[in-house]
Amino acid sequence: MAASSEGDARRALVGAYREVVDLGLTELSSGNLSVRFGDGMLISPTGASGESISEDSLVYIGSEDSWDPGQKPSSEWQLHARIYRGSAATQAVVHTHSDYCVAVACHSKPLPGFHYMVGAFGGDDVPCVPYNTFGSDELARDVADALKTRSACLMSNHGATARGGNLSAAVKLAHRLEISCRHYVLARALGEPRHLTPEEWSEFHRRFGNTGYGRPAS
Ligand SMILES: [Zn+2]
């Protein structure tokens, strides 16, 4: 549900930022969050932390990719802007460097379909986009492309990004991806775990689609 006023949207975004910190998904100033607002988005400022984030510090970036020159949005603002342009239903984006997502992403490989909840992100695995410098056009493009059909992706040698139909859903997906990556790292201690078969995935997505539970915004 879209926030009814800019004040509501700013309060909600600060609350979500602190929730991501409380969940342990962001430490120091590694994460950034945004919410669609008006013709653009509200996004956390560069260098934000759980202590420093405030409603006034959030930056509004309009449809022309412009903002108040006195403010400094997150260095990943292009990544957020491209995701909103590529997915009309997306209302919120969460980018983190959470521990287990980073651990898996540093292998530059997708999170495989080793557990049925991997399917909660819209496919049979969670893709990992190639490494590019933080804040670059290339990284923003690759993440936005991956998130056209998935609700989350890993970013090689970097972290993860999730999108949702509201802030709460995007935070939950970022948390869920961290849990799935943790399970994979634990399972890998005994060797590569069994992956679900194509038939098992078909059955999963048939059931999952019927419940609508956690489906990615399209
Ligand atoms: Zn990052």
Side-chain angles (χ1 to χ4, degrees):
M1 187 180 71
S4 56
S5 73
E6 184 164 350
D8 289 344
R10 285 177 181 267
R11 268 188 294 282
L13 186 52
V14 168
Y17 192 100
R18 291 189 175 135
E19 186 184 355
V20 168
V21 172
D22 290 345
L23 286 166
L25 303 178
T26 284
E27 295 176 276
L28 299 177
S29 57
S30 60
N32 40 76
L33 276 73
S34 68
V35 64
R36 193 191 286 274
F37 187 77
D39 292 334
M41 65 178 171
L42 286 163
I43 188 167
S44 52
T46 189
S49 69
E51 287 93 51
S52 73
I53 192 95
S54 68
E55 291 165 33
D56 290 343
S57 71
L58 303 176
V59 182
Y60 175 72
I61 300 183
S63 58
E64 305 292 314
D65 289 344
S66 60
W67 57 86
D68 182 331
Q71 296 189 298
K72 286 192 178 154
S74 161
S75 56
E76 295 291 7
W77 68 267
Q78 290 186 89
L79 181 154
H80 293 251
R82 278 193 185 248
I83 292 169
Y84 291 118
R85 285 180 188 133
S87 164
T90 294
Q91 296 293 325
V93 174
V94 175
H95 166 62
T96 70
H97 298 180
S98 55
D99 291 347
Y100 287 90
C101 287
V102 168
V104 175
C106 288
H107 287 270
S108 300
K109 290 190 293 196
L111 177 69
F114 75 104
H115 187 287
Y116 78 92
M117 284 310 291
V118 169
F121 305 98
D124 302 353
D125 64 4
V126 176
C128 183
V129 304
Y131 178 79
N132 270 297
T133 308
F134 77 95
S136 65
D137 280 346
E138 293 82 1
L139 183 61
R141 177 200 63 207
D142 290 346
V143 170
D145 282 352
L147 294 192
K148 281 178 181 164
T149 55
R150 304 293 177 87
S151 58
C153 71
L154 297 172
M155 300 154 67
S156 190
N157 308 94
H158 186 151
T161 300
R163 65 176 177 87
N166 55 56
L167 273 167
S168 173
V171 170
K172 275 203 181 78
L173 284 160
H175 191 195
R176 191 182 299 288
L177 183 56
E178 174 69 358
I179 293 167
S180 287
C181 286
R182 187 174 74 223
H183 289 167
Y184 182 63
V185 169
L186 291 169
R188 281 281 300 166
L190 302 174
E192 182 63 22
R194 189 184 80 86
H195 299 178
L196 272 69
T197 65
E199 294 72 31
E200 288 168 338
W201 277 122
S202 297
E203 175 61 12
F204 168 85
H205 286 297
R206 194 159 44 242
R207 284 184 182 249
F208 200 67
N210 289 340
T211 64
Y213 171 62
R215 295 295 293 171
S218 56

